[in-house]
């Protein structure tokens, strides 16, 4: 076997193989590669669009969160104002009630003092009448005792 002839046969076979590949297989592979590149480009474009959309959604979410925080702080501030207002109203009512109770208590104390004075006057007048009856009953028997008794009654009446 001749090596040159073998090499020549192999070269011709290789050339035919390359020509066949370029004619039938290469266009199919090229089309598949082009389609795949197009799909990859579409995917990258969609990915870029998704990143942009994600950033927009993140910013929108942040705005919504900030707005919610502001609304919540406004609600809390309004609740605090209302609570303070109610507290002030309750204080005012409590002070008015306390003043009314003190006024009623003072009126009751004044009434009790007047009643006690009246009772003491009645007792004193009863004591004076009893003492006078005893004095008049013993009339002349004990003139010194009468003077002392009258003096004591007078002192007791002056105190009341």
């Amino acid at each position: 076997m001749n090596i040159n002839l073998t090499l020549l046969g192999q070269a011709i076979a290789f050339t035919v193989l390359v020509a066949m590949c370029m004619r039938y297989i290469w266009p199919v592979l090229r089309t598949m590669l082009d389609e795949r590149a197009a799909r990859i480009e579409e995917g990258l474009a969609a990915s870029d669009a998704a990143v942009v959309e994600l950033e927009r959604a993140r910013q929108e979410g942040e705005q919504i969160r900030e707005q919610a925080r502001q609304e919540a702080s406004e609600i809390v501030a309004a609740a605090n104002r209302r609570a303070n207002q109610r507290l002030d109203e309750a204080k005012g009512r409590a002070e008015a009630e306390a003043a009314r109770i003190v006024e009623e208590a003072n009126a009751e104390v004044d009434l009790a003092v007047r009643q006690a004075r009246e009772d003491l006057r009645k007792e004193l007048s009863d004591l004076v009448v009893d003492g006078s009856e005893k004095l008049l009953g013993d009339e002349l028997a004990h003139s010194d005792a009468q003077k002392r008794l009258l003096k004591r009654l007078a002192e007791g009446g002056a105190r009341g």
Side-chain angles (χ1 to χ4, degrees):
M1 205 176 250
N2 191 355
I3 210 145
N4 288 334
L5 189 60
T6 305
L7 281 177
L8 182 62
Q10 286 181 352
I12 292 173
F14 183 72
T15 304
V16 171
L17 178 68
V18 168
M20 294 290 280
C21 281
M22 287 182 72
R23 169 112 176 131
Y24 296 109
I25 296 176
W26 186 254
V28 173
L29 286 176
R30 190 71 180 146
T31 304
M32 288 174 44
L33 288 175
D34 289 343
E35 288 175 359
R36 183 172 174 140
R39 280 196 314 254
I40 289 172
E41 283 182 28
E42 287 174 7
L44 289 175
S47 173
D48 290 341
V51 166
V52 169
E53 182 65 24
L54 178 65
E55 182 62 26
R56 188 195 61 77
R58 188 192 61 74
Q59 289 174 352
E60 186 177 314
E62 190 64 34
Q63 288 174 349
I64 290 171
R65 253 184 264 134
E66 186 59 35
Q67 185 180 8
R69 281 188 198 114
Q70 288 175 354
E71 289 176 4
S73 66
E74 290 173 5
I75 290 170
V76 167
N80 285 337
R81 284 192 302 272
R82 182 65 182 144
N84 287 336
Q85 182 182 9
R86 284 189 177 185
L87 183 63
D88 290 342
E89 290 172 0
K91 281 181 183 178
R93 287 193 303 265
E95 288 172 357
E97 183 68 16
R100 185 187 62 76
I101 290 172
V102 167
E103 202 172 293
E104 287 178 2
N106 285 338
E108 288 179 15
V109 167
D110 288 344
L111 181 64
V113 167
R114 277 186 268 149
Q115 186 66 38
R117 283 186 181 162
E118 188 63 34
D119 290 346
L120 286 175
R121 282 189 190 126
K122 285 181 185 177
E123 285 182 34
L124 181 60
S125 65
D126 289 344
L127 286 174
V128 168
V129 169
D130 287 344
S132 297
E133 285 178 357
K134 286 183 182 180
L135 280 176
L136 292 176
D138 291 342
E139 233 175 282
L140 296 170
H142 299 48
S143 67
D144 288 336
Q146 283 179 343
K147 287 180 187 176
R148 284 194 308 261
L149 185 56
L150 284 174
K151 188 175 181 181
R152 267 194 289 165
L153 286 174
E155 288 174 2
R159 282 189 229 144

